[in-house]
mmCIF file of all heavy atoms in Angstrom:
data_model
loop_
_atom_site.group_PDB
_atom_site.id
_atom_site.type_symbol
_atom_site.label_atom_id
_atom_site.label_comp_id
_atom_site.label_asym_id
_atom_site.label_seq_id
_atom_site.Cartn_x
_atom_site.Cartn_y
_atom_site.Cartn_z
ATOM 1 N N LEU A 25 19.682 12.675 22.090
ATOM 2 C CA LEU A 25 20.311 12.232 23.367
ATOM 3 C C LEU A 25 21.272 11.055 23.090
ATOM 4 O O LEU A 25 22.380 11.059 23.538
ATOM 5 C CB LEU A 25 19.264 11.833 24.356
ATOM 6 C CG LEU A 25 19.737 11.422 25.750
ATOM 7 C CD1 LEU A 25 18.719 11.964 26.781
ATOM 8 C CD2 LEU A 25 19.903 9.980 25.907
ATOM 9 N N VAL A 26 20.747 10.075 22.290
ATOM 10 C CA VAL A 26 21.542 8.929 22.025
ATOM 11 C C VAL A 26 22.845 9.328 21.251
ATOM 12 O O VAL A 26 23.926 8.875 21.545
ATOM 13 C CB VAL A 26 20.707 7.879 21.274
ATOM 14 C CG1 VAL A 26 21.648 6.741 20.792
ATOM 15 C CG2 VAL A 26 19.657 7.377 22.142
ATOM 16 N N ILE A 27 22.677 10.228 20.198
ATOM 17 C CA ILE A 27 23.780 10.617 19.419
ATOM 18 C C ILE A 27 24.840 11.322 20.272
ATOM 19 O O ILE A 27 26.007 10.994 20.192
ATOM 20 C CB ILE A 27 23.340 11.603 18.286
ATOM 21 C CG1 ILE A 27 22.473 10.773 17.276
ATOM 22 C CG2 ILE A 27 24.523 12.248 17.594
ATOM 23 C CD1 ILE A 27 21.828 11.667 16.237
ATOM 24 N N TYR A 28 24.359 12.245 21.155
ATOM 25 C CA TYR A 28 25.305 12.965 21.949
ATOM 26 C C TYR A 28 25.979 12.129 23.043
ATOM 27 O O TYR A 28 27.022 12.516 23.594
ATOM 28 C CB TYR A 28 24.702 14.267 22.538
ATOM 29 C CG TYR A 28 24.768 15.379 21.552
ATOM 30 C CD1 TYR A 28 23.646 15.790 20.833
ATOM 31 C CD2 TYR A 28 25.959 16.081 21.325
ATOM 32 C CE1 TYR A 28 23.707 16.823 19.912
ATOM 33 C CE2 TYR A 28 26.049 17.113 20.403
ATOM 34 C CZ TYR A 28 24.890 17.456 19.716
ATOM 35 O OH TYR A 28 25.000 18.433 18.794
ATOM 36 N N SER A 29 25.392 10.947 23.310
ATOM 37 C CA SER A 29 26.096 10.115 24.302
ATOM 38 C C SER A 29 27.343 9.549 23.693
ATOM 39 O O SER A 29 28.251 9.037 24.444
ATOM 40 C CB SER A 29 25.121 8.969 24.717
ATOM 41 O OG SER A 29 25.042 8.000 23.708
ATOM 42 N N PHE A 30 27.526 9.595 22.401
ATOM 43 C CA PHE A 30 28.731 9.120 21.757
ATOM 44 C C PHE A 30 29.691 10.271 21.354
ATOM 45 O O PHE A 30 30.581 10.142 20.542
ATOM 46 C CB PHE A 30 28.407 8.304 20.504
ATOM 47 C CG PHE A 30 27.673 7.087 20.783
ATOM 48 C CD1 PHE A 30 26.300 6.911 20.601
ATOM 49 C CD2 PHE A 30 28.390 5.971 21.301
ATOM 50 C CE1 PHE A 30 25.680 5.750 20.864
ATOM 51 C CE2 PHE A 30 27.728 4.798 21.599
ATOM 52 C CZ PHE A 30 26.364 4.656 21.411
ATOM 53 N N ASN A 31 29.402 11.479 21.954
ATOM 54 C CA ASN A 31 30.216 12.637 21.650
ATOM 55 C C ASN A 31 31.531 12.575 22.386
ATOM 56 O O ASN A 31 31.641 12.238 23.570
ATOM 57 C CB ASN A 31 29.416 13.881 22.083
ATOM 58 C CG ASN A 31 30.001 15.151 21.520
ATOM 59 O OD1 ASN A 31 31.060 15.106 20.864
ATOM 60 N ND2 ASN A 31 29.354 16.258 21.755
ATOM 61 N N GLU A 32 32.596 12.966 21.644
ATOM 62 C CA GLU A 32 33.923 12.981 22.219
ATOM 63 C C GLU A 32 34.097 14.087 23.273
ATOM 64 O O GLU A 32 34.741 13.975 24.307
ATOM 65 C CB GLU A 32 34.922 13.156 21.053
ATOM 66 C CG GLU A 32 36.369 13.459 21.413
ATOM 67 C CD GLU A 32 37.102 12.201 21.870
ATOM 68 O OE1 GLU A 32 37.045 11.211 21.107
ATOM 69 O OE2 GLU A 32 37.703 12.183 22.991
ATOM 70 N N SER A 33 33.470 15.237 22.936
ATOM 71 C CA SER A 33 33.632 16.485 23.755
ATOM 72 C C SER A 33 32.933 16.396 25.039
ATOM 73 O O SER A 33 31.952 15.672 25.244
ATOM 74 C CB SER A 33 33.107 17.654 22.896
ATOM 75 O OG SER A 33 32.896 18.728 23.774
ATOM 76 N N LYS A 34 33.420 17.106 26.003
ATOM 77 C CA LYS A 34 32.775 17.258 27.316
ATOM 78 C C LYS A 34 31.552 18.141 27.286
ATOM 79 O O LYS A 34 30.696 18.074 28.131
ATOM 80 C CB LYS A 34 33.769 17.703 28.354
ATOM 81 C CG LYS A 34 33.373 17.408 29.758
ATOM 82 C CD LYS A 34 34.482 17.686 30.734
ATOM 83 C CE LYS A 34 34.004 17.576 32.220
ATOM 84 N NZ LYS A 34 33.338 16.303 32.534
ATOM 85 N N LEU A 35 31.549 19.063 26.280
ATOM 86 C CA LEU A 35 30.460 19.940 26.124
ATOM 87 C C LEU A 35 29.306 19.199 25.385
ATOM 88 O O LEU A 35 29.521 18.598 24.348
ATOM 89 C CB LEU A 35 30.846 21.186 25.310
ATOM 90 C CG LEU A 35 31.919 22.046 25.978
ATOM 91 C CD1 LEU A 35 32.542 23.016 24.994
ATOM 92 C CD2 LEU A 35 31.356 22.776 27.156
ATOM 93 N N VAL A 36 28.125 19.314 26.017
ATOM 94 C CA VAL A 36 27.016 18.511 25.513
ATOM 95 C C VAL A 36 26.536 18.926 24.137
ATOM 96 O O VAL A 36 26.124 18.128 23.301
ATOM 97 C CB VAL A 36 25.866 18.512 26.528
ATOM 98 C CG1 VAL A 36 24.728 17.605 26.074
ATOM 99 C CG2 VAL A 36 26.363 18.011 27.875
ATOM 100 N N THR A 37 26.634 20.214 23.852
ATOM 101 C CA THR A 37 26.008 20.734 22.658
ATOM 102 C C THR A 37 27.024 20.851 21.438
ATOM 103 O O THR A 37 26.633 21.253 20.383
ATOM 104 C CB THR A 37 25.389 22.110 22.928
ATOM 105 O OG1 THR A 37 26.329 22.914 23.636
ATOM 106 C CG2 THR A 37 24.122 21.948 23.679
ATOM 107 N N VAL A 38 28.291 20.498 21.714
ATOM 108 C CA VAL A 38 29.262 20.685 20.591
ATOM 109 C C VAL A 38 29.735 19.288 20.191
ATOM 110 O O VAL A 38 30.248 18.521 21.019
ATOM 111 C CB VAL A 38 30.437 21.543 21.041
ATOM 112 C CG1 VAL A 38 31.432 21.718 19.903
ATOM 113 C CG2 VAL A 38 29.982 22.872 21.570
ATOM 114 N N TRP A 39 29.590 18.978 18.904
ATOM 115 C CA TRP A 39 30.044 17.628 18.413
ATOM 116 C C TRP A 39 31.503 17.642 18.108
ATOM 117 O O TRP A 39 31.986 18.507 17.425
ATOM 118 C CB TRP A 39 29.220 17.280 17.187
ATOM 119 C CG TRP A 39 29.586 15.890 16.656
ATOM 120 C CD1 TRP A 39 30.389 15.586 15.598
ATOM 121 C CD2 TRP A 39 29.149 14.661 17.196
ATOM 122 N NE1 TRP A 39 30.514 14.264 15.450
ATOM 123 C CE2 TRP A 39 29.748 13.664 16.427
ATOM 124 C CE3 TRP A 39 28.347 14.291 18.271
ATOM 125 C CZ2 TRP A 39 29.562 12.301 16.676
ATOM 126 C CZ3 TRP A 39 28.165 12.955 18.503
ATOM 127 C CH2 TRP A 39 28.762 11.954 17.683
ATOM 128 N N ALA A 40 32.277 16.692 18.696
ATOM 129 C CA ALA A 40 33.683 16.671 18.481
ATOM 130 C C ALA A 40 34.109 15.294 18.097
ATOM 131 O O ALA A 40 35.247 14.888 18.385
ATOM 132 C CB ALA A 40 34.413 17.152 19.723
ATOM 133 N N GLY A 41 33.330 14.533 17.389
ATOM 134 C CA GLY A 41 33.752 13.229 16.977
ATOM 135 C C GLY A 41 33.209 12.122 17.824
ATOM 136 O O GLY A 41 32.810 12.300 18.986
ATOM 137 N N PHE A 42 33.188 10.879 17.221
ATOM 138 C CA PHE A 42 32.587 9.700 17.834
ATOM 139 C C PHE A 42 33.495 9.142 18.910
ATOM 140 O O PHE A 42 34.754 8.996 18.749
ATOM 141 C CB PHE A 42 32.295 8.680 16.772
ATOM 142 C CG PHE A 42 31.635 7.397 17.342
ATOM 143 C CD1 PHE A 42 30.265 7.376 17.536
ATOM 144 C CD2 PHE A 42 32.375 6.281 17.653
ATOM 145 C CE1 PHE A 42 29.655 6.272 18.058
ATOM 146 C CE2 PHE A 42 31.786 5.176 18.145
ATOM 147 C CZ PHE A 42 30.422 5.130 18.363
ATOM 148 N N SER A 43 32.901 8.740 20.040
ATOM 149 C CA SER A 43 33.669 8.074 21.068
ATOM 150 C C SER A 43 32.728 7.330 22.024
ATOM 151 O O SER A 43 31.596 7.657 22.147
ATOM 152 C CB SER A 43 34.431 9.169 21.925
ATOM 153 O OG SER A 43 34.729 8.678 23.177
ATOM 154 N N THR A 44 33.218 6.273 22.617
ATOM 155 C CA THR A 44 32.441 5.562 23.649
ATOM 156 C C THR A 44 33.008 5.769 25.032
ATOM 157 O O THR A 44 32.675 5.021 25.935
ATOM 158 C CB THR A 44 32.392 4.020 23.307
ATOM 159 O OG1 THR A 44 33.764 3.642 23.182
ATOM 160 C CG2 THR A 44 31.643 3.733 22.035
ATOM 161 N N LYS A 45 33.824 6.796 25.138
ATOM 162 C CA LYS A 45 34.495 6.933 26.417
ATOM 163 C C LYS A 45 33.614 7.237 27.586
ATOM 164 O O LYS A 45 33.869 6.809 28.715
ATOM 165 C CB LYS A 45 35.619 8.016 26.352
ATOM 166 C CG LYS A 45 35.106 9.453 26.313
ATOM 167 C CD LYS A 45 36.294 10.364 26.439
ATOM 168 C CE LYS A 45 35.811 11.818 26.408
ATOM 169 N NZ LYS A 45 36.882 12.785 26.284
ATOM 170 N N TRP A 46 32.463 7.878 27.352
ATOM 171 C CA TRP A 46 31.579 8.238 28.449
ATOM 172 C C TRP A 46 30.922 6.952 29.048
ATOM 173 O O TRP A 46 30.576 6.957 30.225
ATOM 174 C CB TRP A 46 30.505 9.226 28.021
ATOM 175 C CG TRP A 46 31.152 10.513 27.533
ATOM 176 C CD1 TRP A 46 31.112 11.022 26.281
ATOM 177 C CD2 TRP A 46 31.933 11.404 28.348
ATOM 178 N NE1 TRP A 46 31.819 12.172 26.214
ATOM 179 C CE2 TRP A 46 32.351 12.464 27.481
ATOM 180 C CE3 TRP A 46 32.300 11.440 29.649
ATOM 181 C CZ2 TRP A 46 33.157 13.491 27.919
ATOM 182 C CZ3 TRP A 46 33.118 12.471 30.078
ATOM 183 C CH2 TRP A 46 33.523 13.454 29.217
ATOM 184 N N TYR A 47 30.777 5.973 28.220
ATOM 185 C CA TYR A 47 30.249 4.669 28.719
ATOM 186 C C TYR A 47 31.268 4.069 29.647
ATOM 187 O O TYR A 47 30.934 3.445 30.671
ATOM 188 C CB TYR A 47 29.897 3.718 27.557
ATOM 189 C CG TYR A 47 28.675 4.130 26.821
ATOM 190 C CD1 TYR A 47 28.721 5.052 25.757
ATOM 191 C CD2 TYR A 47 27.436 3.708 27.223
ATOM 192 C CE1 TYR A 47 27.600 5.478 25.086
ATOM 193 C CE2 TYR A 47 26.258 4.107 26.552
ATOM 194 C CZ TYR A 47 26.366 4.993 25.477
ATOM 195 O OH TYR A 47 25.218 5.384 24.814
ATOM 196 N N GLY A 48 32.581 4.217 29.287
ATOM 197 C CA GLY A 48 33.660 3.767 30.138
ATOM 198 C C GLY A 48 33.674 4.470 31.449
ATOM 199 O O GLY A 48 33.776 3.872 32.518
ATOM 200 N N GLU A 49 33.485 5.804 31.346
ATOM 201 C CA GLU A 49 33.553 6.621 32.566
ATOM 202 C C GLU A 49 32.415 6.166 33.489
ATOM 203 O O GLU A 49 32.529 6.089 34.740
ATOM 204 C CB GLU A 49 33.247 8.093 32.207
ATOM 205 C CG GLU A 49 34.400 8.803 31.489
ATOM 206 C CD GLU A 49 35.533 9.041 32.407
ATOM 207 O OE1 GLU A 49 35.268 9.632 33.531
ATOM 208 O OE2 GLU A 49 36.695 8.761 32.075
ATOM 209 N N LEU A 50 31.265 5.898 32.888
ATOM 210 C CA LEU A 50 30.051 5.466 33.643
ATOM 211 C C LEU A 50 30.345 4.270 34.492
ATOM 212 O O LEU A 50 29.920 4.200 35.657
ATOM 213 C CB LEU A 50 28.947 5.194 32.661
ATOM 214 C CG LEU A 50 27.546 5.203 33.140
ATOM 215 C CD1 LEU A 50 27.164 6.607 33.729
ATOM 216 C CD2 LEU A 50 26.603 4.904 31.958
ATOM 217 N N LEU A 51 31.067 3.315 33.909
ATOM 218 C CA LEU A 51 31.299 2.087 34.626
ATOM 219 C C LEU A 51 32.233 2.272 35.838
ATOM 220 O O LEU A 51 32.352 1.432 36.724
ATOM 221 C CB LEU A 51 31.901 1.013 33.682
ATOM 222 C CG LEU A 51 30.947 0.472 32.668
ATOM 223 C CD1 LEU A 51 31.640 -0.514 31.760
ATOM 224 C CD2 LEU A 51 29.737 -0.191 33.332
ATOM 225 N N LYS A 52 32.938 3.381 35.819
ATOM 226 C CA LYS A 52 33.872 3.689 36.940
ATOM 227 C C LYS A 52 33.213 4.509 37.982
ATOM 228 O O LYS A 52 33.730 4.638 39.121
ATOM 229 C CB LYS A 52 35.124 4.408 36.442
ATOM 230 C CG LYS A 52 36.043 3.535 35.609
ATOM 231 C CD LYS A 52 37.247 4.374 35.179
ATOM 232 C CE LYS A 52 37.768 3.917 33.802
ATOM 233 N NZ LYS A 52 38.207 4.994 32.987
ATOM 234 N N ASN A 53 31.994 4.988 37.671
ATOM 235 C CA ASN A 53 31.335 5.886 38.614
ATOM 236 C C ASN A 53 30.518 5.096 39.681
ATOM 237 O O ASN A 53 29.472 4.526 39.362
ATOM 238 C CB ASN A 53 30.352 6.789 37.848
ATOM 239 C CG ASN A 53 29.812 7.905 38.762
ATOM 240 O OD1 ASN A 53 29.596 7.673 39.943
ATOM 241 N ND2 ASN A 53 29.606 9.060 38.175
ATOM 242 N N GLU A 54 31.128 5.013 40.875
ATOM 243 C CA GLU A 54 30.525 4.212 41.935
ATOM 244 C C GLU A 54 29.097 4.618 42.260
ATOM 245 O O GLU A 54 28.201 3.744 42.424
ATOM 246 C CB GLU A 54 31.340 4.359 43.265
ATOM 247 C CG GLU A 54 32.666 3.641 43.225
ATOM 248 C CD GLU A 54 32.499 2.111 43.413
ATOM 249 O OE1 GLU A 54 31.511 1.704 44.036
ATOM 250 O OE2 GLU A 54 33.333 1.330 42.887
ATOM 251 N N GLU A 55 28.797 5.907 42.246
ATOM 252 C CA GLU A 55 27.484 6.404 42.652
ATOM 253 C C GLU A 55 26.453 5.948 41.702
ATOM 254 O O GLU A 55 25.378 5.477 42.114
ATOM 255 C CB GLU A 55 27.492 7.915 42.663
ATOM 256 C CG GLU A 55 28.007 8.526 43.907
ATOM 257 C CD GLU A 55 27.893 10.024 43.931
ATOM 258 O OE1 GLU A 55 26.845 10.562 43.442
ATOM 259 O OE2 GLU A 55 28.798 10.715 44.400
#
Side-chain angles (χ1 to χ4, degrees):
Chain A
L25 183 144
V26 173
I27 291 172
Y28 274 103
S29 74
F30 295 103
N31 193 356
E32 170 77 52
S33 161
K34 199 170 172 55
L35 296 165
V36 181
T37 46
V38 181
W39 182 258
F42 182 83
S43 157
T44 53
K45 74 172 180 190
W46 299 114
Y47 288 88
E49 290 287 312
L50 200 59
L51 289 179
K52 287 182 214 143
N53 190 327
E54 286 284 332
E55 278 184 38

